[in-house]
Every structure is written in structure tokens, then in C-alpha cells.
Amino acid sequence: MGWADAIDTCTAMGGDLAIAKSLLEHQFIWGVFKESNHTSGGVWVGCTIRNGQDKWVDHRGTECKYFNWYWAEPNEGYLDENCIEMRRQYYGQWNNIQCLHDNSVVCQHSAIQPITPRHSATQPIAPAMECLRANANGRFAPKM
């Protein structure tokens, strides 16, 4: 699925396309993808560069500040390589690629946990992630 469809899929599931903000998060997302045994060439990263701009942003426009580029990336090997994938053949390092390319998806969901019974506030805990790929019917199912 393309990058925009990946955004829509994660949003429909109540989450966001995963974005690594550190090496540890990158390794976690890559591990989720590898353990899923999906056969696509890579998994989308939630950052894009919009035409006419010079910075990578998420779909809401917030600047992405962590990158794990493969040695020759980013480049313009093909026209309009405005999205990022963790590429299998680069062992998870990042490649800029056309946004319509077919890749797997890792969605990030914020988990909420109550602080104490006497407070109504909640506190976020570690995000949950899962790797999804459409089956022949176009439906998504997490790895069981």
C-alpha cells in the first residue's frame, strides 16, 4: 500500500503511522516489521517531504528530527521520492522512495492508563505497534 493509504489505515484504526524519534524506536519498529514475516521490500516511516519544501514532516506538518538514512540516501534516483521507507535490503536503514510504492505498515497507538482512582486524568504509557498488510480481500489483520 502507498504512504497516503498507510496514513488513512492507521488513522482508521485510531493510531498513526509509526515514526522513529530515536535509534531505540527505530530498532523497535524494524523489529515489529521483521517479526511479522511480511514479504514486502520495506515498511513506511511516517515522514514525507512536501513539494517545494526542504524539510521532512509527518502528515500533520510536524518536523521529523530523527533519521537513519542508508549511506547514499536521501537521493532523487527517481522523480518525486517524497516518502521514507525502512528498506529490507538496507537492513532497516532508510530510503526515500515514491509515495505510491507498495510497502507494509506499522501503526502506532497511544495506550492510556489511569494514574490513580481519585484522579480522572490519564497518563500515556509506551505506544503499542503492529505490522499490517492487506490480504487478497483488501482487509488488514495483525499478526496473530
Side-chain angles (χ1 to χ4, degrees):
M1 103 173 30
W3 189 85
D5 290 337
I7 294 288
D8 292 344
T9 297
C10 291
T11 299
M13 296 176 63
D16 289 304
L17 188 56
I19 299 174
K21 295 179 181 170
S22 67
L23 178 60
L24 185 63
E25 289 181 5
H26 163 83
Q27 291 170 335
F28 181 79
I29 295 166
W30 183 242
V32 169
F33 171 68
K34 283 190 343 183
E35 288 178 18
S36 72
N37 293 320
H38 289 214
T39 58
S40 68
V43 61
W44 288 118
V45 173
C47 298
T48 186
I49 193 164
R50 297 183 178 150
N51 290 330
Q53 295 186 351
D54 62 350
K55 63 182 176 181
W56 294 90
V57 296
D58 66 18
H59 71 282
R60 292 182 182 94
T62 303
E63 186 173 357
C64 298
K65 296 185 179 188
Y66 172 82
F67 300 96
N68 191 350
W69 296 111
Y70 186 65
W71 72 272
E73 303 294 340
N75 63 33
E76 281 298 320
Y78 295 95
L79 187 62
D80 296 328
E81 289 188 322
N82 295 338
C83 290
I84 303 174
E85 67 175 352
M86 290 182 187
R87 190 164 182 85
R88 185 181 298 278
Q89 79 183 67
Y90 297 167
Y91 304 99
Q93 285 189 288
W94 297 9
N95 173 52
N96 65 314
I97 194 164
Q98 294 173 330
C99 299
L100 295 176
H101 188 78
D102 184 33
N103 268 330
S104 293
V105 180
V106 173
C107 298
Q108 179 174 324
H109 306 273
S110 295
I112 304 297
Q113 175 181 10
I115 296 174
T116 64
R118 65 178 238 226
H119 291 80
S120 61
T122 57
Q123 175 179 346
I125 58 173
M129 296 189 191
E130 58 189 331
C131 188
L132 305 173
R133 183 133 178 105
N135 61 22
N137 297 324
R139 299 202 182 274
F140 295 90
K143 177 185 172 198
M144 297 293 172

